[in-house]
């Protein structure tokens, strides 16, 4: 009997079409706002128009008089029920509805619940709030000034606006490396605020049933089980009586990991009205108030020998966290995994110091398509590498070749203690250089200058840590960062898989079934995947920081192997031989030495419910909780060629080459889609996504006329290449891919533009590299800072 063809059954390696797209492209997705419950009310939130002010009074009388208004909530209402403040994922506190003062423009001040959303919105406009304005702080320099107003005067033992100091590395060894250096390169820059801006804003429907005491919340969350635990703590409801349902999500990108005040207020509103309450924020509300990414300043130095060898590295980062320290990140790392910087380079000594500050902005620090500050780390790394090569007078590619970790050095322990397990870094770089035409570039650059055009080429090589992480080091609010899968094979050989992850565009319904098909030989079309309902899914940490394949995908493989182990015993029973005499090929067990005598996995499934051996429990189902032994480390080389118009500062991408090594690829088509989507976001960050603040703390970029998202018109094409180095400790050898392009891509674009204009003396232009900034840099020959406040006159 011929073995199954894995590609034909939709197993690993098949470019299987995404099954979830069958409903999405037909407009049949089921999002929170599509859900309508009997007797449902609607909630609108009133937000602060100012960035920093004391609340002198709130008059809600006019709102109460509008027909159809059922409830008006203020900070005083919340405080009476001990709900005015809630914990953040970084052990800080955040106001639910402001009581004493507002601390950023867009902060939640009051809420109205009414029969329809339009009545609720009209009623919000009738609420009169009297503010006493205070001086706003919009950057860390202002926050640390001697006369700076104290933003968090609600906290005890908080005499300044500083949140933390943190450091890691060997300072003494790094100091020695710098003392021995022939050349020291310095880089200062700002990675600006960036908003994940998912297509669907945040929202929830809270439905409290007083008769049963059960609370059901339909919610736009990437981490349903974490939210359930948080709601149990905040609302003081028993966790087993809370059900969180995250239906289809219109994107997340880290924005839908935190707990937002609107969720908490809608829950209290449902408890008080005893009716379902829906809250859907608008686009501006999402842009102005929900979790931002980035907003970190770098002071970096690299110590080198004349031959190009890096001896040591120093980084000092200053992070702007907004009004509340609400970063979603592992507990022990105050600035996320910033210390993953330079992990792909062989550097003997490194030292990182970090400080965090409160400002009058919405809380930042979400893992916007990155593994906890890794995007900033890799951008800082590659901008520092670019400047270092120039300071040394060395070719950009050659400088990287000298310092990249060699193939025979794995497993490699970085200067900050990470263990990278595998890779072919030089191969990836060489493929990229060949594809971009690197050897001919200098001649092209000279020829273009004769035509009045400026060509530039930028390289970004990086490895990033995915799959956080092992329970010895990684937790969020005390919960270890494992993940889970539960697999049930029915008697007809069809299966249902549930995981603790939560897809928001990654294609879990497609790829998880492919892993099961690879492990068991059940056709992927015979497997349905469910996620997002805490009443049915096993406990898991959700989906963010590229944990899907490295952790949840591993759990899927492990639970499939548990199923196969039991099926082997059933096969031995059916074939009347000992288990030791049973061999396995995809989808089928057979007798050793007699391959024609065998049973399929479907035969075993039927027998599991009808003919099990004595002493065996019937059924064919199991679960697995996967605690990863280490992080996974995909590698990428991104190379970009641009042309800059010196008359306008406009720059165009001529060619972009991406070489990704993400280990074993489950679905090549999905992987390519993830890379292209990630590079599109990288391009947007480098070129057009601009959200900042003026001196009064007003958010500039709180709408999509100002905060530009790339369309198919602006987005360049990308040429993709593949290298495969399996991860040695992952069950299927995968490393993850969802964030790599967003993490490593921005530096390639920026390095290319800088390369085109650095003959004028320019070392840095802060992102986004809008034409006016590039033009100013060209004309002045000086660096351009993007630190707020921005002038609006």
């Amino acid at each position: 009997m011929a073995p199954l063809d894995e590609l034909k059954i939709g197993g690993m390696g098949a470019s299987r079409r995404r099954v979830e797209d069958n409903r999405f492209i037909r407009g049949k997705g089921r999002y929170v706002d599509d859900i309508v419950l009997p007797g449902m009310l609607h909630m609108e939130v009133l937000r602060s128009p100012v960035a920093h002010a004391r609340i002198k009074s709130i008059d809600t009388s006019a709102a109460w008089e509008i027909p159809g208004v059922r409830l008006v909530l203020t900070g005083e209402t919340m405080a009476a029920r001990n709900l005015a403040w809630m914990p953040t994922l970084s052990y800080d506190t955040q106001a639910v509805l402001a009581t004493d003062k507002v601390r950023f423009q867009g902060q939640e001040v009051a809420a109205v619940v009414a029969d329809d959303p339009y009545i609720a919105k009209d009623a919000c406009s009738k609420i009169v709030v009297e503010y006493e304005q205070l001086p706003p702080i919009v950057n860390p320099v202002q926050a640390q000034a001697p006369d700076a107003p104290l933003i968090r005067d609600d906290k005890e033992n908080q005499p300044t606006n500083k949140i933390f100091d943190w450091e890691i590395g060997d300072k003494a060894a790094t100091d020695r490396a710098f003392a021995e250096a022939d050349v020291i390169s310095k880089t200062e820059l700002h990675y600006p605020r960036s908003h994940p801006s998912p297509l669907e804003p945040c929202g929830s429907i809270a439905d409290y049933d007083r008769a049963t005491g059960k609370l059901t919340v339909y919610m736009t969350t990437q981490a349903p089980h974490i939210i359930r635990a948080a709601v149990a703590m905040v609302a003081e409801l028993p966790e087993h009586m809370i059900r969180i349902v995250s239906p289809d999500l219109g994107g997340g990108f880290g924005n839908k990991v935190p707990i937002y005040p609107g969720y908490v207020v809608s829950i209290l509103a449902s408890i008080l009205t005893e009716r379902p309450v829906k809250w859907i924020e608008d686009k501006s509300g999402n842009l102005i108030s929900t979790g931002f990414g980035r907003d970190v300043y770098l002071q970096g130095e690299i110590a080198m020998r004349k031959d190009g060898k890096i001896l040591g590295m120093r980084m000092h980062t200053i992070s702007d966290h907004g009004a509340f320290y609400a970063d979603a990140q592992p507990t022990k790392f105050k600035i996320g995994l910033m210390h993953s910087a330079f992990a792909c380079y062989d550097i003997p000594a490194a030292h990182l110091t970090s400080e965090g500050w409160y400002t009058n902005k919405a809380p930042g620090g979400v893992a916007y398509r990155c593994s906890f500050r890794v995007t900033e780390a890799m951008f800082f790394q590659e901008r520092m590498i670019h400047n270092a090569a120039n300071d040394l007078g060395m070719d950009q590619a050659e400088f990287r070749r000298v310092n990249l970790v060699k193939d025979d050095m794995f497993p490699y322990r970085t200067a900050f203690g990470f263990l990278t397990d595998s890779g072919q870094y030089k191969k990836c770089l060489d493929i990229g250089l060949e594809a971009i035409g690197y050897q001919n570039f200098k001649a092209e650059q000279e020829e273009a200058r004769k035509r009045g055009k400026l060509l530039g080429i930028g390289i970004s090589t990086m490895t990033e840590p995915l799959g956080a992480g092992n329970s010895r080091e990684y937790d969020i609010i005390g919960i270890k960062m494992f993940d889970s899968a539960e697999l049930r094979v029915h008697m007809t050989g069809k299966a249902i898989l549930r995981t603790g992850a939560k897809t928001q565009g990654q294609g879990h319904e497609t790829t998880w079934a492919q892993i099961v098909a690879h492990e068991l030989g059940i056709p992927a079309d015979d497997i349905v995947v469910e996620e997002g309902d805490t009443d049915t899914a096993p406990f898991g940490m959700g989906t963010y920081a590229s944990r899907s394949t490295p952790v949840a995908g591993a759990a899927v493989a492990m639970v499939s192997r548990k199923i196969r182990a039991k099926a082997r015993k059933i096969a031995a029973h059916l074939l009347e031989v000992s288990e030791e005499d049973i061999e396995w090929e995809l989808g089928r067990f057979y007798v050793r030495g007699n391959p024609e005598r065998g049973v399929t996995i479907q035969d075993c499934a039927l027998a599991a419910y009808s003919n099990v051996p004595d002493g065996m429990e019937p059924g064919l189902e199991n679960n697995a909780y996967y605690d990863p032994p280490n992080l996974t480390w995909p590698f990428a080389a991104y190379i970009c060629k641009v042309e800059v118009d010196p008359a306008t500062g406009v720059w165009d991408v001529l060619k972009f080459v991406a070489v990704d090594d993400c280990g074993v690829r489950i679905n090549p088509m999905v992987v390519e889609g993830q890379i292209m989507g990630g590079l599109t976001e990288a391009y947007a960050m480098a070129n057009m996504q601009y959200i900042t603040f003026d001196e009064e703390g007003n958010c500039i970029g709180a709408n999509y006329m100002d905060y530009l998202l790339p369309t198919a018109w602006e987005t360049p094409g990308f040429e993709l290449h593949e290298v495969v180095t399996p991860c040695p400790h992952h069950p299927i050898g995968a490393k993850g891919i969802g964030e790599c392009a967003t993490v490593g891509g921005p530096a390639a674009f920026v390095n290319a533009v800088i390369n085109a204009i650095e003959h004028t003396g320019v070392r840095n232009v802060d992102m986004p590299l809008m034409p006016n900034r590039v033009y100013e840099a060209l004309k002045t020959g000086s660096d351009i800072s993007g630190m707020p406040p921005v002038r609006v006159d």
Side-chain angles (χ1 to χ4, degrees):
M1 184 175 181
L4 292 174
D5 184 327
E6 182 165 356
L7 295 183
K8 288 184 178 179
I9 68 168
M12 282 174 46
S15 287
R16 183 184 181 223
R17 290 187 177 182
R18 291 179 13 132
V19 297
E20 44 270 83
D21 288 349
N22 288 333
R23 63 180 186 276
F24 291 149
I25 64 176
R26 291 174 171 84
K28 298 297 184 181
R30 188 170 184 259
Y31 303 91
V32 168
D33 202 22
D34 293 323
I35 299 170
V36 178
L37 301 180
M40 187 172 71
L41 301 174
H42 298 264
M43 187 179 87
E44 180 70 19
V45 171
L46 177 68
R47 301 185 182 278
S48 169
V50 297
H52 198 194
R54 297 201 182 281
I55 297 175
K56 299 187 71 176
S57 65
I58 301 179
D59 183 356
T60 63
S61 57
W64 277 106
E65 293 173 0
I66 296 177
V69 170
R70 303 292 179 173
L71 185 65
V72 181
L73 296 164
T74 65
E76 183 179 340
T77 314
M78 307 301 290
R81 292 160 177 83
N82 198 31
L83 289 173
W85 294 82
M86 64 182 186
T88 72
L89 296 178
S90 286
Y91 295 93
D92 196 4
T93 52
Q94 177 174 348
V96 178
L97 294 179
T99 52
D100 53 342
K101 67 177 186 179
V102 293
R103 293 172 171 84
F104 65 91
Q105 185 185 60
Q107 185 176 345
E108 300 83 355
V109 175
V112 173
V113 179
D115 290 341
D116 69 49
Y118 306 103
I119 294 173
K121 188 177 286 288
D122 289 345
C124 270
S125 70
K126 299 298 183 183
I127 297 174
V128 179
V129 184
E130 184 181 359
Y131 295 103
E132 177 190 334
Q133 291 205 43
L134 300 169
I137 292 172
V138 296
N139 64 56
V141 175
Q142 294 176 346
Q144 56 192 287
D147 59 346
L150 185 62
I151 295 172
R152 295 302 303 276
D153 48 356
D154 60 288
K155 299 183 69 174
E156 295 182 5
N157 302 316
Q158 183 69 46
T160 72
N161 291 312
K162 179 174 277 191
I163 304 170
F164 64 80
D165 283 298
W166 191 77
E167 68 176 297
I168 192 170
D170 189 331
K171 183 179 185 303
T174 305
D175 290 345
R176 288 193 297 272
F178 273 80
E180 297 168 1
D182 297 320
V183 179
I184 295 175
S185 174
K186 297 184 178 181
T187 300
E188 292 193 10
L189 56 84
H190 175 216
Y191 200 132
R193 278 211 163 201
S194 191
H195 195 279
S197 47
L199 187 64
E200 172 201 36
C202 295
S204 62
I205 304 171
D207 184 14
Y208 180 69
D209 187 335
R210 189 169 297 279
T212 63
K214 182 149 188 175
L215 171 68
T216 300
V217 187
Y218 301 89
M219 183 185 293
T220 54
T221 178
Q222 297 173 227
H225 286 95
I226 301 302
I227 293 292
R228 184 181 66 180
V231 169
M233 291 187 288
V234 172
E236 297 182 354
L237 294 171
E239 188 175 1
H240 70 292
M241 297 301 287
I242 301 170
R243 178 190 180 201
I244 304 295
V245 181
S246 182
D248 290 330
L249 291 180
F253 309 108
N255 182 249
K256 292 172 180 173
V257 173
I259 308 154
Y260 291 117
Y263 300 156
V264 179
V265 178
S266 68
I267 290 170
L268 178 61
S270 180
I271 292 172
L272 294 177
T273 61
E274 300 188 23
R275 291 171 64 177
V277 174
K278 176 186 281 189
W279 164 67
I280 303 292
E281 68 183 358
D282 58 26
K283 291 286 190 178
S284 288
N286 182 263
L287 275 171
I288 204 171
S289 72
T290 58
F292 290 80
R294 327 304 187 231
D295 212 350
V296 182
Y297 300 81
L298 167 74
Q299 299 164 2
E301 295 180 289
I302 294 179
M304 302 167 285
R305 292 197 311 242
K306 290 179 181 179
D307 63 1
K309 176 59 182 172
I310 297 176
L311 303 177
M313 181 277 295
R314 291 190 188 117
M315 288 174 63
H316 179 65
T317 65
I318 305 169
S319 48
D320 182 334
H321 294 267
F324 309 109
Y325 183 34
D327 293 24
Q329 63 192 12
T331 300
K332 68 184 289 187
F333 305 117
K334 295 298 185 183
I335 190 64
L337 303 184
M338 187 71 75
H339 56 304
S340 63
F342 292 86
C344 67
Y345 296 105
D346 178 26
I347 298 179
H351 186 230
L352 166 70
T353 55
S354 296
E355 55 188 78
W357 293 86
Y358 289 120
T359 61
N360 291 119
K361 302 176 183 176
V366 299
Y368 170 18
R369 202 162 184 173
C370 80
S371 296
F372 314 116
R373 301 288 189 180
V374 167
T375 301
E376 295 95 312
M378 299 308 150
F379 182 74
F380 294 161
Q381 163 194 299
E382 287 306 293
R383 291 293 296 117
M384 290 170 67
I385 288 287
H386 181 95
N387 286 343
N390 285 347
D391 291 340
L392 201 60
M394 195 169 187
D395 177 77
Q396 291 286 338
E398 184 59 27
F399 184 59
R400 286 171 170 82
R401 284 197 189 98
V402 168
N403 290 288
L404 284 171
V405 174
K406 308 300 188 293
D407 296 3
D408 60 1
M409 297 171 71
F410 292 105
Y412 178 81
R413 182 74 65 179
T414 76
F416 288 124
F418 286 113
L419 187 68
T420 59
D421 52 47
S422 59
Q424 302 177 73
Y425 298 170
K426 181 180 179 295
K427 179 179 180 179
C428 291
L429 176 60
D430 288 345
I431 290 173
L433 294 172
E434 177 69 23
I436 204 78
Y438 190 78
Q439 64 180 359
N440 301 320
F441 175 72
K442 289 197 184 309
E444 291 179 37
Q445 192 176 46
E446 290 301 319
E447 191 277 330
R449 285 182 182 173
K450 295 175 183 177
R451 295 186 286 107
K453 298 293 184 181
L454 303 175
L455 292 190
I457 199 163
I459 302 174
S460 175
T461 47
M462 64 97 210
T463 185
E464 64 160 325
L466 303 184
N470 69 76
S471 61
R472 300 182 304 279
E473 296 187 89
Y474 296 91
D475 73 272
I476 290 183
I477 59 171
I479 304 171
K480 300 300 184 181
M481 297 182 71
F482 55 82
D483 229 304
S484 58
E486 177 187 283
L487 179 60
R488 179 180 302 160
V489 182
H490 302 305
M491 63 186 302
T492 57
K494 316 299 182 182
I496 180 169
L497 174 73
R498 295 187 173 106
T499 84
K502 177 64 189 110
T503 186
Q504 68 254 210
Q506 292 89 347
H508 292 179
E509 294 174 44
T510 304
T511 54
W512 287 172
Q514 292 183 251
I515 296 175
V516 177
H518 170 74
E519 295 290 343
L520 294 179
I522 298 174
D525 288 343
D526 290 348
I527 303 158
V528 64
V529 177
E530 292 183 0
E531 296 177 335
D533 188 336
T534 59
D535 268 10
T536 58
F539 188 97
M541 296 297 288
T543 296
Y544 45 87
S546 214
R547 298 181 68 255
S548 291
T549 295
V551 189
V556 172
M558 298 307 287
V559 74
S560 299
R561 292 174 188 182
K562 288 184 177 182
I563 294 291
R564 192 170 73 213
K566 182 173 182 179
R568 178 185 294 274
K569 297 179 184 298
I570 295 173
H573 169 68
L574 295 177
L575 295 169
E576 298 180 326
V577 297
S578 70
E579 188 179 343
E580 290 73 22
D581 291 329
I582 293 293
E583 297 284 355
W584 165 258
E585 63 184 9
L586 187 63
R588 180 174 177 268
F589 296 100
Y590 63 90
V591 177
R592 181 183 294 121
N594 189 4
E596 296 302 315
R597 187 166 171 242
V599 291
T600 66
I601 190 70
Q602 289 81 6
D603 295 331
C604 295
L606 179 61
Y609 297 89
S610 61
N611 183 16
V612 295
D614 291 342
M616 176 180 284
E617 185 178 4
L620 195 57
E621 60 185 78
N622 216 317
N623 56 47
Y625 287 83
Y626 184 76
D627 183 1
N630 188 14
L631 303 170
T632 60
W633 294 87
F635 179 83
Y638 301 122
I639 308 178
C640 178
K641 185 190 297 184
V642 302
E643 181 179 274
V644 178
D645 184 348
T648 62
V650 172
W651 55 278
D652 295 310
V653 177
L654 302 180
K655 189 172 185 179
F656 194 104
V657 171
V659 185
D660 281 275
D661 181 356
C662 60
V664 174
R665 299 189 174 198
I666 301 167
N667 183 316
M669 181 180 66
V670 169
V671 169
E672 290 179 3
Q674 290 287 315
I675 295 169
M676 289 186 176
L679 289 175
T680 301
E681 289 190 71
Y683 174 70
M685 292 174 196
N687 190 29
M688 62 181 64
Q689 286 189 179
Y690 183 50
I691 195 162
T692 189
F693 299 81
D694 66 17
E695 62 183 8
E696 295 181 354
N698 295 310
C699 183
I700 310 300
N703 60 73
Y704 290 116
M705 292 293 288
D706 296 324
Y707 190 64
L708 301 181
L709 300 183
T711 67
W713 179 262
E714 296 90 7
T715 304
F718 307 115
E719 181 181 313
L720 308 187
H721 296 263
E722 172 186 355
V723 171
V724 177
T725 311
C727 175
H729 65 76
H730 190 276
I732 58 173
K735 296 183 177 182
I737 190 60
E739 297 164 351
C740 296
T742 309
V743 169
F749 291 108
V750 175
N751 284 344
V753 175
I754 297 300
N755 177 249
I757 67 175
E758 61 196 6
H759 63 283
T760 65
V762 175
R763 286 176 66 87
N764 183 66
V765 177
D766 280 342
M767 295 190 294
L769 274 64
M770 299 177 293
N772 62 309
R773 289 186 176 180
V774 176
Y775 180 81
E776 182 181 353
L778 274 167
K779 293 306 177 186
T780 63
S782 58
D783 293 358
I784 305 299
S785 170
M787 182 174 73
V790 65
R791 290 179 57 183
V792 293
D793 55 4

